[in-house]
């Protein structure tokens, strides 16, 4: 009798563990209309920084869009380029990086501690004059998530989704970033550790990282990014990808009713980038897009 009871208890324990694991990987639906702050709120605050993300939350975004790169000591940090861009960077000595020299400031060759010596918030941005200037460095993805989650709690607002772009290219594997499989593992380690996988979208122009995510982590949402010069048909793009992503995310001039209808027939959401005009946001929203990525979340 005692042995039978022990077996029953063990069975319940196993079922409980399986249940918890399954529940953790349930997919939360994206917002009905997804308001995404590009690089946080790039038009208003220094891009891909914690202040930019919190500004986006203040302005009511449902998703914080950001870019991830990898340091030499395998830390996942936020940066649009895998190097220090001349438009936003102040060197440790107070001088600016020259455009001809920026690619030599390779983040993949720097430790996280070394990246923190560079400021990315003080230099005036010629294309974004409304951007508030403040001292800032490229943060760890883990810090961004922790700060956003805590801020949402203290402000009593809905916790956001995170749309994270993998900055990879077959031309720069192991030069500016790890090969896709290693990149994905480092990224997913952070996401799973922070327990936000049900509110994360992994996006990329590089189908390789999306294919690895889909194969190894099929519960994750993915978004296929499409450049404005891409002349392939939707079916050709999806055929190369090899599966149906959660989101199709094209440059906004590519969006037309035929494309939108084709995606919706395939149960794919359409979230174009980067729309910085209020009338254009309203036009696309009226057409039926499922969200908008913008540098100016105040336009929502």
């Amino acid at each position: 009798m005692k042995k039978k009871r022990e077996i029953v208890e063990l069975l319940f324990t196993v079922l409980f563990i399986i249940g918890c694991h399954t529940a953790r990987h349930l997919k939360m639906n994206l917002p009905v209309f997804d308001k995404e702050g590009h690089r946080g709120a790039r038009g208003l605050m220094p891009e891909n920084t914690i202040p930019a993300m919190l500004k986006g939350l203040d302005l009511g975004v449902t998703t914080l869009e950001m870019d991830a790169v990898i340091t030499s000591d395998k830390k996942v940090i936020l940066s649009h380029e895998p190097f220090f861009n001349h438009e936003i960077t102040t060197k440790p000595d107070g001088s600016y990086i020259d455009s001809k020299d920026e690619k030599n400031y390779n983040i993949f060759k720097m430790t996280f501690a070394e990246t923190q010596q560079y400021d990315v918030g003080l230099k005036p941005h010629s294309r974004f004059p409304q951007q508030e200037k403040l001292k800032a460095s490229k943060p760890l993805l883990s810090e961004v998530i922790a700060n956003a989650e805590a801020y949402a709690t203290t402000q009593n607002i809905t916790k956001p989704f995170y749309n994270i772009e993998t900055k990879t290219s077959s031309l720069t594997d192991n030069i500016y970033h790890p090969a896709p499989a290693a990149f994905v593992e480092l990224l997913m380690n952070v996401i799973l550790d922070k327990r936000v996988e049900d509110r994360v979208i992994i996006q990329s122009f590089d189908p390789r990282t999306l294919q690895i995510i889909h194969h190894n982590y099929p519960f994750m949402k993915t978004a296929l990014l499409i450049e404005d010069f891409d002349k392939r048909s939707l079916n050709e793009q999806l055929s190369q990808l090899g599966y149906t992503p959660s989101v199709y995310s094209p440059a906004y001039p590519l969006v037309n009713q035929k494309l939108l209808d084709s995606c919706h027939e395939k149960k794919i959401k359409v979230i174009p980038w980067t729309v910085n005009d209020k009338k254009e946001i309203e036009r696309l929203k009226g057409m039926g897009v499922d969200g908008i990525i913008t540098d100016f979340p105040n336009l929502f």
Side-chain angles (χ1 to χ4, degrees), residues 103-173:
K103 291 184 179 179
N104 292 325
Y105 292 86
N106 184 349
I107 293 170
F108 190 46
K109 302 300 183 185
M110 298 181 185
T111 64
F112 172 66
E114 288 171 332
T115 67
Q116 299 307 285
Q117 298 174 32
Y118 294 81
D119 180 88
V120 291
L122 291 174
K123 184 177 181 180
H125 202 306
S126 60
R127 293 185 289 119
F128 296 98
Q130 296 180 48
Q131 199 180 82
E132 182 180 335
K133 304 321 298 175
L134 50 84
K135 188 172 179 58
S137 59
K138 293 183 183 293
L140 291 165
L141 173 61
S142 59
E143 291 179 342
V144 171
I145 294 172
N147 275 268
E149 296 288 292
Y151 192 75
T153 298
T154 59
Q155 299 299 308
N156 196 28
I157 57 178
T158 302
K159 289 183 177 179
F161 279 75
Y162 301 91
N163 189 7
I164 306 169
E165 181 179 346
T166 59
K167 307 303 291 190
T168 59
S169 165
S170 59
L171 298 176
T172 51
D173 283 347

Side-chain angles (χ1 to χ4, degrees), residues 33 257 260 278-290 292:
F33 184 78
Q257 199 63 55
L260 194 57
K278 188 171 181 63
K279 287 184 178 179
E280 187 65 14
I281 289 174
E282 292 304 318
R283 187 187 74 81
L284 289 165
K285 190 174 181 181
M287 188 184 292
V289 299
D290 301 286
I292 291 286

Side-chain angles (χ1 to χ4, degrees), residues 60-295:
V61 303
T62 48
T63 296
L64 296 170
E65 193 273 352
M66 60 195 70
D67 308 275
V69 302
I70 310 297
T71 63
S72 66
D73 51 350
K74 299 184 179 180
K75 302 296 184 183
V76 184
I77 70 172
L78 265 56
S79 180
H80 184 259
E81 293 82 20
F83 52 83
F84 279 94
N85 188 310
H86 74 280
E87 285 191 297
I88 63 172
T89 307
T90 303
K91 293 191 286 186
D93 64 4
S95 63
Y96 295 144
I97 287 177
D98 186 89
S99 60
K100 297 176 182 178
D101 198 33
E102 63 183 5
K103 291 184 179 179
N104 292 325
Y105 292 86
N106 184 349
I107 293 170
F108 190 46
K109 302 300 183 185
M110 298 181 185
T111 64
F112 172 66
E114 288 171 332
T115 67
Q116 299 307 285
Q117 298 174 32
Y118 294 81
D119 180 88
V120 291
L122 291 174
K123 184 177 181 180
H125 202 306
S126 60
R127 293 185 289 119
F128 296 98
Q130 296 180 48
Q131 199 180 82
E132 182 180 335
K133 304 321 298 175
L134 50 84
K135 188 172 179 58
S137 59
K138 293 183 183 293
L140 291 165
L141 173 61
S142 59
E143 291 179 342
V144 171
I145 294 172
N147 275 268
E149 296 288 292
Y151 192 75
T153 298
T154 59
Q155 299 299 308
N156 196 28
I157 57 178
T158 302
K159 289 183 177 179
F161 279 75
Y162 301 91
N163 189 7
I164 306 169
E165 181 179 346
T166 59
K167 307 303 291 190
T168 59
S169 165
S170 59
L171 298 176
T172 51
D173 283 347
N174 298 312
I175 299 171
Y176 281 102
H177 53 80
F183 193 117
V184 165
E185 288 309 305
L186 291 170
L187 178 60
M188 286 303 303
N189 285 344
V190 176
I191 292 167
L192 294 173
D193 180 66
K194 291 299 178 184
R195 303 183 70 85
V196 292
E197 60 270 26
D198 59 341
R199 286 184 282 118
V200 169
I201 310 148
I202 304 297
Q203 63 174 351
S204 191
F205 291 103
D206 184 353
R208 300 176 305 159
T209 54
L210 300 183
Q211 289 160 350
I212 291 167
I213 288 283
H214 179 67
H215 183 269
N216 294 348
Y217 303 94
F219 53 86
M220 293 296 296
K221 288 177 279 292
T222 57
L224 178 62
L225 288 165
I226 299 294
E227 294 275 15
D228 54 3
F229 54 75
D230 193 332
K231 302 303 181 185
R232 295 173 300 161
S233 69
L234 173 65
N235 286 336
E236 288 171 334
Q237 292 163 349
L238 295 179
S239 177
Q240 182 185 358
L241 182 61
Y243 74 96
T244 303
S246 315
V247 177
Y248 182 79
S249 194
Y252 78 89
L254 296 176
V255 178
N256 55 47
Q257 199 63 55
K258 181 182 177 182
L259 175 66
L260 194 57
D261 292 344
S262 295
C263 286
H264 286 167
E265 285 172 7
K266 300 176 188 298
K267 309 299 183 186
I268 303 171
K269 290 185 177 292
V270 178
I271 303 178
W273 57 272
T274 302
V275 193
N276 290 338
D277 177 79
K278 188 171 181 63
K279 287 184 178 179
E280 187 65 14
I281 289 174
E282 292 304 318
R283 187 187 74 81
L284 289 165
K285 190 174 181 181
M287 188 184 292
V289 299
D290 301 286
I292 291 286
I293 301 172
T294 181
D295 289 315

